[in-house]
Structure formats: C-alpha cells, structure tokens
Amino acid sequence: GRYLRRPFVRIIHALPEGWRPPRDRKGSALPAPWAIPSDGLGWGRGLGQIDFGVHEFARTGNWRGPMENIDFAARRLVKAIRYWTGRDGRGWSVAALAADSYNASEGGVQRALDAGLPPDAATTGGNYSADVLADAGAFGFGGGATVA
C-alpha cells in the first residue's frame, strides 16, 4: 500500500482533465497497469525488462534468451534516441527523453511534454530517466545531473 500510494497519487494529479483508462477496440477497459499478467511473471521480462503489456517480444519465449533480450532492448533504445534526435524536447536531453521513451513510449513522453509536464511524468514511478541517468553517473558512464 504505502509504496504504491505516492506514485499513484502523482500519476492521478498529472492526468489531463477528462482522462479515461485505456480501452480495447470493443470499448472494454484494459487491465490496470499494476495488475500482474496471467502467467504470474510480472510486467518486465528479462535483462532489459521488456514490457509484457506493450511489446509482443515479451509475450514470446524469446525474451528468456539473454542475447535476444539485450538485442531487443538495445534496438528499442536506439529507436528512441533516433526519434528524439533533432526534435523539440522542451529543453530535456535526448538521453532523458530516450530513457523515458524506453519505459513509456515516445508517444507517452510526447503527451507529457505537450501537457507541460516533465517527460518522467509518463513513466512508471514518475522518475525513470532521473533514476537511469543518476545510476549511469554513479557507475561512471557520464550520467548524473544531465537529466535536463
């Protein structure tokens, strides 16, 4: 309870007026994002934590192979970097936008920016790129304070 409450409240306050839960083509509400997939293995699959709810790759057995998983994750990140390179990121670094897109999709990050929110607002926990870039800095990969 207490660990979900703060991020959930932050997400609720960040939602645009009139927001409704996502629905499938028939109009039925999709499962809550914190629900566990029916196989009980959680949302993030393998080393790259590929999202089961978003990527078909995570719903196949291929995610179990370390090389396949890392390859998919790297391709996904390169796609996000290419998407944000040269676009208006509203002052946010390509590294931050790409990390957030890895977690929440380019469209999710763009919607957050369009709403006047930081790109992290679209992500799980609301602090994905801040955490990723801080970890990169801690490991000596030049991350740290380059979030904005």
Side-chain angles (χ1 to χ4, degrees):
R2 121 182 150 170
Y3 297 104
L4 267 179
R5 200 166 302 145
R6 255 190 244 140
F8 185 68
V9 168
R10 214 176 323 154
I11 290 167
I12 294 299
H13 287 291
L15 295 174
E17 188 174 324
W19 181 88
R20 292 176 18 155
R23 301 193 174 273
D24 64 19
R25 291 181 185 183
K26 295 179 183 175
S28 301
L30 294 172
W34 52 88
I36 301 295
S38 60
D39 65 7
L41 296 176
W43 291 106
R45 303 296 169 105
L47 295 168
Q49 290 294 283
I50 310 304
D51 192 309
F52 178 87
V54 176
H55 302 289
E56 179 65 28
F57 174 82
R59 294 186 292 274
T60 69
N62 294 340
W63 66 267
R64 294 178 188 270
M67 293 303 293
E68 292 85 350
N69 195 280
I70 291 170
D71 182 65
F72 184 90
R75 289 175 190 272
R76 178 67 192 94
L77 188 57
V78 166
K79 179 184 175 206
I81 291 168
R82 287 183 177 151
Y83 179 88
W84 289 108
T85 299
R87 290 185 189 258
D88 179 12
R90 315 266 163 77
W92 295 90
S93 71
V94 169
L97 294 164
D100 286 329
S101 294
Y102 182 88
N103 181 260
S105 83
E106 291 82 1
V109 171
Q110 187 65 62
R111 285 187 293 279
L113 293 174
D114 291 346
L117 299 169
D120 265 342
T123 66
T124 306
N127 61 350
Y128 192 82
S129 69
D131 279 354
V132 167
L133 295 176
D135 288 348
F139 287 107
F141 294 116
T146 61
V147 175

